[in-house]
Amino acid sequence: MKTAELSEKILSGDRRALARAITLVESGRDDHRVAATELLDLLAKSGRQALRIGLSGTPGVGKSTFVESFGMMLVAQGLRVAVLAVDPSSARTGGSILGDKTRMEQLSRQKAAFIRPSPSQTNLGGVARRTREAVALCEAAGFDVVLIETVGVGQSETVVAQMSDLFLLLLAPAGGDELQGVKRGIMEMADIILVNKADGDLKSAAMRTCADYSGALRLLRKRPQDPEGYPKAQTVSALQEAGLDSAWADMKTLVEWRQDRGHWSGTRAEQARYWFAEDVRQALLARLKTPWAQGRMTELSDQVAQGAVSPTAAAQEMLKGLGVAG
């Protein structure tokens, strides 16, 4: 399919064309990368934007269950929802199960919903290499909300915050000591903390955990992009669909405040700068994977191992060969 034709189909909301386009942008083939860049440039002219919500949390916290319940609620309100679920890849084989779509059985049946699982391919930060471009494709296809579900991440993996308008951190009740709440990293990036599984025997523990994190958030330095009372923590039960309406209301309040005061556009501009620099870095790293570069690396590393040249001098020689030495 020609790039222009694929672009038209995506703009008309064709789900198959969208899936095909995401496969295209995820490909590492040089000709596919050229076509993907052309496609993204064409679609950018539409100017369509969606609310991008990044969702992170540790493994087993119930991210997929929350996304399905939350997505079903949004669909019931007449919104079109796209879910980009990133599954972990094996560091040994590179394979992924990609089971998130199977977990979201109800949501996957909805015509107003689109679910795309992607392998992380051992990329750090909880997202796949081309997740940002997949978000742009979903926006062009006319979706109102794009949910980006990361793999289970730790305290320092916050890349998803660089591609979303709202960053939700999902926590499990009684997950650790109160000191976790004042640690930097992912806590500083979160806009709303949701303590999931606030039901049954865990409800009281969830309430205590929420109170602990609410107190911890008050100790963090206030951010200019937050109104009074944000970031905040609250309890939800994805299983019983409790607290979802309240969480959505808080999200809309925060979004409207940021839009009215110019933080929304400012954040997106900063994110564009970040991804420009990241694409440059990745392009430079890709040059190290060419046959010439790998052969030269082997030669120089042998010389370093033999003591014939220092590591610093060998690195400078390598950089000169790549044409990037200062």
Side-chain angles (χ1 to χ4, degrees):
M1 188 183 297
K2 299 284 187 181
T3 304
E5 183 182 354
L6 185 59
S7 172
E8 291 175 3
K9 286 183 175 293
I10 291 172
L11 291 172
S12 68
D14 189 312
R15 293 152 61 95
R16 288 188 179 182
L18 175 58
R20 187 170 182 174
I22 294 177
T23 300
L24 179 67
V25 301
E26 289 179 344
S27 173
R29 279 176 42 176
D30 290 341
D31 58 333
H32 286 176
R33 292 307 308 154
V34 171
T37 301
E38 182 183 348
L39 176 63
L40 290 166
D41 285 343
L42 284 173
L43 294 174
K45 298 174 183 176
S46 68
R48 293 179 178 176
Q49 290 189 339
L51 174 58
R52 308 171 185 170
I53 301 177
L55 178 68
S56 190
T58 54
V61 75
K63 293 189 297 296
S64 296
T65 305
F66 173 82
V67 167
E68 177 168 54
S69 297
F70 186 61
M72 289 293 290
M73 182 194 72
L74 296 180
V75 168
Q77 295 181 11
L79 298 173
R80 298 185 67 210
V81 179
V83 178
L84 300 175
V86 183
D87 281 351
S89 297
S90 169
R92 182 173 299 175
T93 66
S96 298
I97 294 179
L98 301 180
D100 276 326
K101 191 169 184 176
T102 304
R103 289 175 179 167
M104 303 176 199
E105 184 179 355
Q106 295 182 56
L107 188 60
S108 63
R109 295 175 181 170
Q110 301 297 315
K111 292 183 178 180
F114 174 83
I115 303 175
R116 173 69 180 222
S118 298
S120 66
Q121 296 177 332
T122 69
N123 281 294
L124 298 178
V127 294
R129 173 76 179 91
R130 301 297 175 184
T131 300
R132 173 182 56 92
E133 296 174 352
V135 170
L137 292 172
C138 292
E139 287 186 311
F143 286 94
D144 303 300
V145 179
V146 180
L147 294 169
I148 310 162
E149 180 198 344
T150 72
V151 302
V153 298
Q155 292 169 330
S156 63
E157 293 160 304
T158 55
V159 175
V160 69
Q162 295 291 348
M163 61 179 71
S164 52
D165 303 309
L166 291 178
F167 182 33
L168 310 182
L169 179 59
L170 215 61
L171 299 175
D177 60 277
E178 291 82 357
L179 181 61
Q180 298 294 334
V182 294
K183 287 186 176 179
R184 288 346 193 208
I186 202 167
M187 280 288 298
E188 291 180 302
M189 309 299 293
D191 295 310
I192 297 176
I193 293 176
L194 300 174
V195 182
N196 193 25
K197 303 184 179 181
D199 50 58
D201 295 338
L202 289 173
K203 187 168 185 179
S204 59
M207 297 296 290
R208 289 195 300 270
T209 301
C210 183
D212 289 339
Y213 277 91
S214 294
L217 288 173
R218 287 193 288 271
L219 298 177
L220 296 178
R221 185 170 54 191
K222 184 170 176 59
R223 305 178 304 183
Q225 71 269 30
D226 292 331
E228 192 64 34
Y230 287 85
K232 62 170 55 180
Q234 61 188 102
T235 58
V236 295
S237 170
L239 191 63
Q240 296 184 351
E241 301 178 5
L244 300 182
D245 287 330
S246 175
W248 177 232
D250 287 340
M251 291 179 214
K252 290 192 291 184
T253 298
L254 181 55
V255 167
E256 289 170 3
W257 189 90
R258 287 179 175 175
Q259 287 176 332
D260 291 343
R261 287 158 180 79
H263 293 294
W264 172 286
S265 55
T267 298
R268 287 209 168 189
E270 286 301 315
Q271 289 175 348
R273 292 189 183 96
Y274 171 88
W275 288 109
F276 160 69
E278 183 64 20
D279 281 349
V280 171
R281 282 192 291 268
Q282 291 296 330
L284 291 174
L285 289 173
R287 295 178 66 176
L288 291 175
K289 298 179 181 179
T290 61
W292 176 87
Q294 291 184 340
R296 186 60 175 148
M297 285 283 289
T298 301
E299 293 175 11
L300 290 171
S301 64
D302 288 343
Q303 293 178 28
V304 169
Q306 295 165 7
V309 63
S310 70
T312 302
Q316 289 297 320
E317 186 66 26
M318 185 69 203
L319 290 172
K320 287 179 182 178
L322 292 172
V324 295

